[in-house]
Amino acid sequence: MESLDRRHGRPPRSPRVTAAMVAARAGVSTATVSLVANGKTQGRVSEDNISRVRSAIAELGYVVDSIGSSLARGVSSIVILVTPDVSNPFFANVIAGVRESLGSEYQLLLSVTDAGESPQADDVRKLLALRPAGLLVGAPSAEFLEELSPAGPLVLLDAPGLESYAPSVNLDVAQGARELARHLAASGHTRAAYVDGVTGTTTFQLRREAFLAEAASSGLSVADGHVVSTPIDVGAAAAAFAAAWPEWQREGVTAVVCGTDTHAYGVLQEARVEGVRIPEELAVAGFDDLPYSATSNPSLTSVHLPATPLGRKAGEQLRGLMEGLPLEESHVTLESSLVVRGSTSFS
């Protein structure tokens, strides 16, 4: 019978190369192939056999099925990272930090929600059928954690107030928010507006509340009508600012603080379209301190949130748990800091 590949005009697929085929080519046992392929030869395999196995692997194109073999042992080498809105550039840096700390021994699998949506326990529970070695969850809610009830190693990222559920690595976003409010007040601003994210996560609530509280005590007014919320998207933030700016301008707003740098890029973009001079007529600031913030025109004042260290530390915590090591600190908080640039300063 003609194969499906041939019937559809595709070249027939080569059969998968197995450890047994490598063993036969090298003249050794499959156990020896496994030791060589997984780098566990010290004191177990002779140099001659190592050389023969490696030559056979190269000739046949053998690839180790690490996930399949670890599943057969009852647990995989997969680590699942549950994160909201991976389109936000901040999370790319978090992921880089996680990847760095896990090393090549683990495969990182992302479970991503749409912008503005919280992760659903049912969706993540399906992935748990892969029997992951560990789970990292970014900016979760208490309801999500209670519904999920994961049995294996778990570390939370950017989850203030949820320390009772699992080891965590958090960001002190409130400190940077307060520094920003004091900076704007000291620069002579008395009326400001705030462009928030619609994620509903605690970290956004904390940065907003900390900024508003410090602004009020520093003589910087933010009226209820001067707070808007949009998805973390440049275009959405630009549209929201365009709609609000005429009224804000009439009411004396001279500074706009954004919940993320991505929002701030949208405000800067629309301000240029409207001919608003930055910072002479309007100061603009954000949170995250993304790489582009230092090179935007003008450069963007931002609260620096250490995204890569956040991912790296969370990965280190999880790796320790997966390998049965005691944690020196179950809960770690990384500091934030204000980076003043041209969007709020004339110097």
Side-chain angles (χ1 to χ4, degrees):
M1 186 182 216
E2 188 179 24
S3 72
L4 286 174
D5 284 326
R6 192 176 300 280
R7 190 184 309 160
H8 290 284
R10 295 190 296 263
R13 287 172 291 186
S14 301
R16 186 174 71 87
V17 177
T18 65
M21 294 165 66
V22 175
R25 175 67 67 90
V28 299
S29 67
T30 55
T32 298
V33 172
S34 177
L35 290 172
V36 174
N38 290 287
K40 298 179 179 180
T41 59
Q42 188 170 7
R44 297 179 177 182
V45 184
S46 68
E47 291 298 326
D48 179 58
N49 280 347
I50 292 174
S51 177
R52 288 158 57 191
V53 170
R54 286 176 176 168
S55 295
I57 287 174
E59 291 168 7
L60 296 174
Y62 175 63
V63 177
V64 180
D65 182 6
S66 59
I67 293 179
S69 61
S70 58
L71 278 171
R73 297 193 300 270
V75 63
S76 77
S77 57
I78 294 171
V79 168
I80 296 174
L81 171 59
V82 182
T83 181
D85 189 16
V86 76
S87 63
N88 182 354
F90 177 82
F91 291 109
N93 294 330
V94 174
I95 292 167
V98 171
R99 181 67 268 158
E100 178 185 332
S101 61
L102 291 179
S104 60
E105 293 91 337
Y106 297 95
Q107 289 76 45
L108 185 62
L109 178 65
L110 300 181
S111 175
V112 181
T113 60
D114 291 332
E117 293 187 8
S118 298
Q120 299 298 310
D122 285 344
D123 295 334
V124 178
R125 198 176 289 116
K126 294 173 186 175
L127 296 177
L128 297 182
L130 295 172
R131 287 172 280 181
L135 184 64
L136 294 163
V137 182
S141 65
E143 293 76 15
F144 169 81
L145 295 173
E146 289 172 0
E147 188 177 349
L148 184 63
S149 299
L154 168 67
V155 173
L156 308 180
L157 298 83
D158 200 12
L162 300 178
E163 289 83 359
S164 62
Y165 287 89
S168 62
V169 183
N170 289 316
L171 299 170
D172 185 4
V173 294
Q175 173 60 33
R178 288 190 288 265
E179 287 184 33
L180 177 54
R182 290 193 292 267
H183 163 67
L184 292 175
S187 299
H189 297 280
T190 58
R191 292 190 180 183
Y194 196 95
V195 180
D196 204 1
V198 295
T199 65
T201 56
T202 304
T203 182
F204 279 86
Q205 178 185 344
L206 283 177
R207 62 188 74 179
R208 180 184 69 252
E209 291 179 349
F211 173 79
L212 294 178
E214 189 65 27
S217 65
S218 301
L220 179 60
S221 171
V222 183
D224 291 342
H226 297 166
V227 178
V228 298
S229 298
T230 83
I232 303 174
D233 177 80
V234 172
F241 175 75
W245 175 241
E247 180 181 347
W248 289 355
Q249 187 178 33
R250 286 194 302 270
E251 296 178 355
V253 169
T254 60
V256 175
V257 172
C258 301
T260 71
D261 284 5
T262 302
H263 287 98
Y265 300 155
V267 172
L268 289 175
Q269 172 183 294
E270 187 60 28
R272 283 193 292 270
V273 171
E274 297 291 335
V276 180
R277 293 177 300 145
I278 308 293
E280 291 85 355
E281 295 178 71
L282 182 69
V284 180
F287 281 79
D288 291 341
D289 191 25
L290 298 177
Y292 294 127
S293 297
T295 57
S296 63
N297 185 24
S299 57
L300 180 67
T301 291
S302 183
V303 175
H304 175 73
L305 302 179
T308 302
L310 172 67
R312 186 187 302 119
K313 187 61 180 179
E316 290 173 358
Q317 296 279 75
L318 183 66
R319 183 162 185 163
L321 293 175
M322 293 187 299
E323 296 176 358
L325 302 175
L327 298 181
E328 294 182 6
E329 297 179 86
S330 294
H331 306 290
V332 178
T333 300
L334 304 179
E335 294 183 356
S336 63
S337 58
L338 179 65
V339 181
V340 176
R341 298 192 179 100
S343 65
T344 64
S345 174
F346 295 99
S347 58

